[in-house]
Amino acid sequence: MKGNIVGHSVPKVDAKAKVTGKALYATDLYMEDMLYMQVLRAPYAHAVIRKIDLAQALAVPGIVRIITKEDLPGLKNHGLIFKDQPALVGIGEKVRFTGDTLAIVIGESNIQVRKAIKKIKVEYDKLEVITDPLRAMEEDAVTIHTAGNIVCTHKLDKGDIVRGFMEADLIVYNEFKTQHVEHITLQPDAGLATLEEDDTICIWAATQWLHDTRVDVAQAMGLPVEKIRIIQPAIGGAFGKREDIIAQLHLAIAVREVKRPVKTIYSREESIIATSKRHPMIFRFRTGVKKDGTLTAWEATVIGDTGAYASSGPAVVHKGLYHCTGPYDCPNVRGVAYTVYTNNTYAGAMRGFGATQTAFAYESQMDIIAEKLGINPIELRLKNAYQVGSTTPNGQKLYASVGVKETIIKAVEAFERLGGVIR
Amino acid sequence: MGDNRLMIKVTVNDRLYELQVDPELRLVDLLRDELGLTGTKEGCGKGECGACTIIMNGKTVNSCMVLAFQADGSEILTIEGMGDGEELHPIQEAFIRQGAVQCGYCTPGMVLSAKAILDKNPNPSEEEIRKGISGNLCRCTGYQKIVDAIKDAAEVMGGGGDER
Amino acid sequence: MGIIGFTSRRLNEALQYLHQYGDETTIIAGGTDVLVKYHERLDELHRVLNIWQLEELKSIRIINDQIEVGSLVTHTQLEDSTIIQQNAPLLAEAAGSVGSPQIRNRGTIGGNVANASPAGDTLTPLLALDASVKFVSLDRGEKVVSLEEFLVGPGRHIMKKDELITALIFPIPKDNTVGAFVKLGYRKALAISTVNAAIMLGLQGNLIEDCRIALGAVAPTTKRAKLVEELLQGQDVTKSNTFEILGQLEKDIAPISDIRGSQQYRTDIARELVTQGLQKIVNKEVGRSGR
Ligand SMILES: Cc1cc2nc3c(=O)[nH]c(=O)nc-3n(C[C@H](O)[C@H](O)[C@H](O)COP(=O)(O)OP(=O)(O)OC[C@H]3O[C@@H](n4cnc5c(N)ncnc54)[C@H](O)[C@@H]3O)c2cc1C
Ligand code: FES
Ligand code: FES
């Protein structure tokens, strides 16, 4: 049967709405009687909150309501993997990064809300701010969450690492570090919520996981799932960031309190301060290799900085470890990955989900090995590249569709076609 | 707030508006919040991203970098004014045809920058195109398809294909 | 209360407004600096005087042996102007390197000068062109001060709150002069200069007869490298000892370390950029300044 979809270039269903400016993103939703919401973020990256004084803020004309944790003692934490993130931090509780929320401010106009936020006074006791995951892992480091600073540990063991190193003619050790990366979805975070007659909370906001967001918002607020509806407007980019709850929970809390439609739009700065990042990771690789370039052993330690909250961290850092040899076959692999809390902005999913960071590390390692052995770096890669029958570090046998070698050859051809010279 | 409002006249997409505006209102807010023209997007509010690009008196400007009252007497084209009613403008068609639209948040600004490029030179070189869209960030496409779309539009609009 | 806005349509009206309210007024031209500075806190502005509609300040003219650029001339206008391209191509190039097309369509030369950023891209060519600032107040009338004296610190100049820049003026460069502008930023567009440099050379064959070098983002203000200028005088531009002489640049500058670069980096880059600028001149990759 011949169709007109598969094998054809098909215009996106919403392309016309997007080129005409008619597509509605969360930022573009307006309702009659709508209020604006902004939140007060933490004054310090790690501190115990002692007092939140709302008096002056409440006096700003147009302010309808300011909600703090004291209004919602039953509010539960949320989070994609572990429920470790509070939507509001109350008196006597800790803020763990500068994006934590102390108060939800709702008013008739955005300008008034912004003014009110500047007038809230917060008293707090500072704690040690940990920005380095290595410091977080030290015995005497202050604990960011009660269970300790190591969120979780993953291990990997394939073949016999000791024998692998014994077979090696050369052992190369290096440490690689990557940095935080911000997704910068072009649409800043935004959302609108309404309260229906039957008390159902409807939330329009960009999200990648409607169902997950729905369940998490419901459990945090102690509501049945049916009372939460998530509606997906057009999304101005996500790239993994929008797997996490961003404004949805604050909007739900706000709309339930004020019973009028509530809208929020983050400034770009706020998006950067308060939402997830690509994990910075530290990779320590010890690689054993024969004179001819055959890999014999690969030992890896991966430390991922997940910031103040776990988010997708355990899965992302774990992937970072599992991809530690990249597309190269090594019979003996051993590794450990630590997902670590710090007082940095929390890190979560972003394009590649941990594999991106690792690529920087293993490709650098391969180049260094090639240089030490005096082998052409492309040959070294082709020699070790996965093929049908190879086994990944976590024991997955590749039985079909393994295109690494062809990809490398084609990439080299393209590179040379464009005038590149391989030394 | 109402006491300090200023009276302005602006023509937006061929329609004349006489409006009272707050002096602290930005043009992007006027277009979006007061005239309901939400095709103009705000991505940064600081002139960096170009999502709020409009054409004002024939030139592209960031509408987040203009106070509404400064627009008094000007003629403005927003994305809603591109094309002719239901008919798309050739640039818009080319964007769809070339797959230059992904999340679409940059698209209105890109389309207007593309129009400014082609208004200045109907047959632009790739370098001119890239320079012309250098004030518009796109996080999705990697730009190539947008460049292709602008070349395509130039051809369709009669500029003739230029392979420079 | 809210802020108070006023649009002046004639220079005199603007001066009168400043005379009365100067102390509490922020002048706004293209707004590309003001609206960034007051992002999300526009309510903190007290009075805003919009001068964008002052048509009389929007032209580029040759008056006798000088070029007068109205303070509201935009970067786009500078980039496209034949007068500037023919007489001061380095200024056209610098204006063309500012921000993005959208920023160049709004940002003005007067705003760039009044903003007095050490990284301001038109300031180095203006210094190299030996430009002066013309500004005026109702009380004290018109003043013309060399740009060098006008700039006193980062974001600081000698103007009073009731004064307004009307033009930038510079002598038409002599026939034997050539200029170049070189900028290093983190991206090709939308990049504030990490360091920028502008050079004007008066040449007798290959011999440097006269020389002005201005550097940006390496001191509290954009500034001339006077020591090196002197050392270069009488030298052959094509000879390699110029690079050695440029090693002395560090005595002319006082860079700071910030997000765009460390002190050492800026020092090295300043030398590199001036070298590149001289190279551009030697290789004739620049239009001659003289007609
Ligand atoms: C995204 C972005 C990128 C940028 N990139 C660059 C760059 O690459 N290089 C660069 O140099 N700059 C850059 N800028 C800064 C800015 O665009 C320039 O400094 C521009 O020339 C300012 O002109 P304006 O008319 O917009 O100034 P405005 O913002 O209107 O004013 C700036 C200052 O000057 C005062 N002022 C303005 N006109 C006068 C006058 N006639 N008399 C007295 N005072 C006056 C104002 O009160 C204010 O203090 C960038 C800005 C943005 C937002
Ligand atoms: S919103 Fe105006 S340039 Fe980004
Ligand atoms: S299509 Fe998403 S930012 Fe350009």
Side-chain angles (χ1 to χ4, degrees), chain A residues 84-123:
Chain A
D84 61 354
Q85 189 164 357
L88 279 166
V89 175
I91 307 300
E93 296 176 348
K94 279 210 309 189
V95 289
R96 299 183 178 88
F97 81 119
T98 49
D100 269 330
T101 301
L102 299 182
I104 300 173
V105 182
I106 306 150
E108 300 287 347
S109 83
N110 223 358
I111 293 174
Q112 293 164 330
V113 171
R114 267 205 308 263
K115 266 183 207 160
I117 284 182
K118 285 187 212 156
K119 298 203 163 165
I120 301 177
K121 296 210 177 79
V122 182
E123 287 172 24

Side-chain angles (χ1 to χ4, degrees), chain B residues 95-113:
Chain B
F95 267 63
I96 298 179
R97 204 163 41 240
Q98 295 293 335
V101 182
Q102 287 191 26
C103 84
Y105 211 72
C106 69
T107 308
M110 282 287 185
V111 167
L112 290 164
S113 281

Side-chain angles (χ1 to χ4, degrees), chain A residues 310-368:
Chain A
S311 177
S312 313
V316 171
V317 180
H318 164 187
K319 287 272 190 306
L321 172 66
Y322 278 22
H323 288 277
C324 67
T325 65
Y328 310 114
D329 200 356
C330 183
N332 309 299
V333 184
R334 185 153 72 190
V336 58
Y338 303 97
T339 306
V340 181
Y341 285 129
T342 63
N343 295 116
N344 292 326
T345 303
Y346 70 91
M350 180 175 180
R351 309 184 115 183
F353 211 74
T356 321
Q357 293 93 314
T358 320
F360 162 70
Y362 60 71
E363 293 296 358
S364 303
Q365 180 80 340
M366 290 297 272
D367 281 338
I368 293 167

Side-chain angles (χ1 to χ4, degrees), chain C residues 262-278:
Chain C
S262 67
Q263 197 175 7
Q264 186 59 49
Y265 179 69
R266 283 199 157 100
T267 307
D268 295 347
I269 290 300
R271 184 181 188 182
E272 177 59 30
L273 290 190
V274 177
T275 308
Q276 284 182 14
L278 292 175

Side-chain angles (χ1 to χ4, degrees), chain B residues 39-130:
Chain B
T40 302
K41 306 298 180 198
E42 179 170 356
C44 70
K46 289 189 170 175
E48 299 279 351
C49 77
C52 66
T53 301
I54 55 154
I55 294 183
M56 190 169 163
N57 298 331
K59 299 225 180 297
T60 52
V61 307
N62 298 315
S63 58
C64 72
M65 289 278 99
V66 182
L67 290 177
F69 84 89
Q70 290 190 287
D72 189 15
S74 66
E75 212 160 293
I76 289 169
L77 175 72
T78 71
I79 190 67
E80 289 87 351
M82 284 290 280
D84 187 9
E86 274 307 286
E87 288 281 294
L88 293 182
H89 187 280
I91 296 173
Q92 292 169 313
E93 283 175 345
F95 267 63
I96 298 179
R97 204 163 41 240
Q98 295 293 335
V101 182
Q102 287 191 26
C103 84
Y105 211 72
C106 69
T107 308
M110 282 287 185
V111 167
L112 290 164
S113 281
K115 180 170 193 303
I117 294 167
L118 298 178
D119 283 349
K120 194 169 173 193
N121 180 359
N123 190 12
S125 65
E126 168 139 358
E127 200 191 324
E128 281 167 330
I129 294 174
R130 289 192 181 266

